[in-house]
Amino acid sequence: MIRLENINKIYGSNDVETCALKNINLNVDPGEFISIMGPSGCGKSTLLNLLGMLDNPTSGDYFFDKQCISQLPERKIANVRKKNISFIFQNYNLIDELSVLENIELPLLYQKISPRQRKIRITEVLEQMNIAHRANHMPQQLSGGQQQRVAVARALSTKPRVILADEPTGNLDSKNGDNVMELLKSLNDRGTTILMVTHSQYHAEYANRIINLFDGKIITQDANAIV
Amino acid sequence: MIRLENINKIYGSNDVETCALKNINLNVDPGEFISIMGPSGCGKSTLLNLLGMLDNPTSGDYFFDKQCISQLPERKIANVRKKNISFIFQNYNLIDELSVLENIELPLLYQKISPRQRKIRITEVLEQMNIAHRANHMPQQLSGGQQQRVAVARALSTKPRVILADEPTGNLDSKNGDNVMELLKSLNDRGTTILMVTHSQYHAEYANRIINLFDGKIITQDANAIV
Ligand SMILES: Nc1ncnc2c1ncn2[C@@H]1O[C@H](COP(=O)(O)OP(=O)(O)OP(=O)(O)O)[C@@H](O)[C@H]1O
Ligand SMILES: Nc1ncnc2c1ncn2[C@@H]1O[C@H](COP(=O)(O)OP(=O)(O)OP(=O)(O)O)[C@@H](O)[C@H]1O
Ligand SMILES: [Mg+2]
Ligand SMILES: [Mg+2]
């Protein structure tokens, strides 16, 4: 479903070149749940951004459903992304001018579902994430963990084919964190492909494959191994 | 050194009143290292903001060095805060228009130390936090964990009397996270008072006292107890 071939990503700035990803080769089958781990700064978010078509590799090819993404014009890439992929960003990326409810509703507006269906779906995720009591608040009026839970709710609401989650439990206590993991697990049981960056060995083990990054390279890929 | 008496904090917005803190009583002696734990949304950041004089309680009194802060004019409160307290914010609060080095240097500019001394101090914390190679980058060019480490470096640089740390390791892998805890521990050994919010039981135990918050109230306070 997803194939990366010889992917490299170089950031250039201030005369300093950073090789964030080096010669990445990766295959993802539909329905997989993959954890991506590695030290701070080793390239995890960069990899997720490339997988999510939010950024382009410096070299190498990206195939999604056998279609070579790197060759498509921007507008077509955006379409493929909108139809297939949902994100949980490391810094949440909530829109400050929209309420919690409006933030969650936004990706649903792009889908062909009735307003009634949309309302049902939003109510469902608000309750799953225990933030129904914050529905009309603005992001700046929420605690850090509540903001994270809104970001998760927004990604879950569209029941996407692929979820890319960048540290979805970093600011959550164990009970809320486990709740997020259970929701991701149950989505995966019903077919959603999930790639999740995490620093928690415990949460990483919800996946069926763990990929370890170090200094921009994949150093190990283990099926359900403890690394 | 720090005393909170019957502190309450109510946020009012959109016809919804949130009692974020209820009847908080707390004593902090110089040189203590206190961990504050509790579920998402229970009032930890609110408590830290009040302790850091970044916000005012709805009712109750705050004594710092036996001086009643609640009675002082804003300008005097700001002076007490600047002289005594450093912050590690849950969302880092780095200034996007300043480089890493300039962000760390900022609180040092308010101190009466020579430019040479400032340079020595900045170099020291950049190396302690393993981000010297990012000194001239802008915050948006850093990974999530690197941003967090800049926020920590900025707080450590002034060698303050009090450090208020809101989840200082939330986005860090275990090696970087333990490094931050070791640095906090060694500052505490040399007299810095530390209050730290954390979701990690493991990091919480670096402290000599653990305070548990729930729904805006302090429910237990244990000296080095596993709760
Ligand atoms: N500006 C605000 N207006 C209204 N309510 C607020 C505001 N700031 C915080 N709150 C609410 O006050 C409560 C406590 O928030 P606080 O940020 O202290 O929680 P927390 O314990 O730090 O949570 P987390 O672990 O998720 O960071 C939450 O229910 C939050 O929604
Ligand atoms: N826009 C940019 N310009 C320059 N360098 C960048 C940029 N974005 C990221 N980098 C660098 O690329 C490297 C990888 O960053 P990335 O965000 O992928 O790390 P990460 O593994 O997600 O780290 P963390 O666990 O701290 O979130 C880091 O060294 C970072 O400083
Ligand atoms: Mg990252
Ligand atoms: Mg908080």
Side-chain angles (χ1 to χ4, degrees), chain B residues 1-5 7 48-57 59-85 87 161-162 164:
Chain B
M1 177 183 181
I2 287 176
R3 194 165 94 246
L4 300 183
E5 275 184 7
I7 289 285
L48 235 54
N49 283 342
L50 288 187
L51 286 165
M53 306 173 202
L54 292 171
D55 197 3
N56 298 312
S59 67
D61 286 316
Y62 178 2
F63 297 91
F64 190 91
D65 283 344
K66 297 213 166 52
Q67 193 178 25
C68 186
I69 297 298
S70 357
Q71 312 282 20
L72 295 179
E74 263 313 311
R75 194 174 30 79
K76 295 219 170 184
I77 296 178
N79 275 339
V80 176
R81 180 177 67 241
K82 282 218 175 96
K83 279 212 187 77
N84 293 287
I85 306 176
F87 297 86
R161 274 183 78 202
V162 180
L164 301 177

Side-chain angles (χ1 to χ4, degrees), chain A residues 7 17 27 42-43 46 59 62 79 84 89 96 100 113 115-116 126 133 169 174 181 206 226:
Chain A
I7 290 285
E17 255 192 9
N27 267 323
C42 73
T46 302
S59 65
Y62 178 1
N79 275 340
N84 293 287
F89 292 99
D96 287 336
V100 163
I113 57 177
R116 181 167 156 321
L126 281 171
H133 62 302
T169 61
S174 48
M181 294 311 304
Y206 274 76
I226 299 178

Side-chain angles (χ1 to χ4, degrees), chain A residues 133-134 137-149 171-173 176, chain B residues 9-14 16-21 36-49 55 90 166-167 197 199 213 215-216:
Chain A
H133 62 302
R134 294 279 152 216
H137 279 70
M138 308 307 282
Q140 293 306 325
Q141 296 171 328
L142 304 179
S143 76
Q146 288 168 342
Q147 290 177 13
Q148 189 158 36
R149 283 183 274 154
N171 261 299
L172 298 177
D173 54 286
N176 274 296
Chain B
K9 179 66 182 177
I10 300 173
Y11 292 113
S13 54
N14 316 335
V16 175
E17 257 194 7
T18 305
C19 262
L21 294 173
I36 300 169
M37 305 191 76
S40 174
C42 73
K44 306 178 294 298
S45 297
T46 302
L47 177 59
L48 235 54
N49 283 342
D55 197 3
Q90 191 167 8
D166 203 339
E167 312 219 21
V197 169
H199 284 310
L213 274 181
D215 196 29

Side-chain angles (χ1 to χ4, degrees), chain A residues 90-108:
Chain A
Q90 191 168 5
N91 61 359
Y92 321 147
N93 275 8
L94 299 182
I95 299 177
D96 287 336
E97 296 80 12
L98 298 181
S99 71
V100 163
L101 191 143
E102 291 166 335
N103 264 282
I104 293 171
E105 182 183 42
L106 205 53
L108 287 171

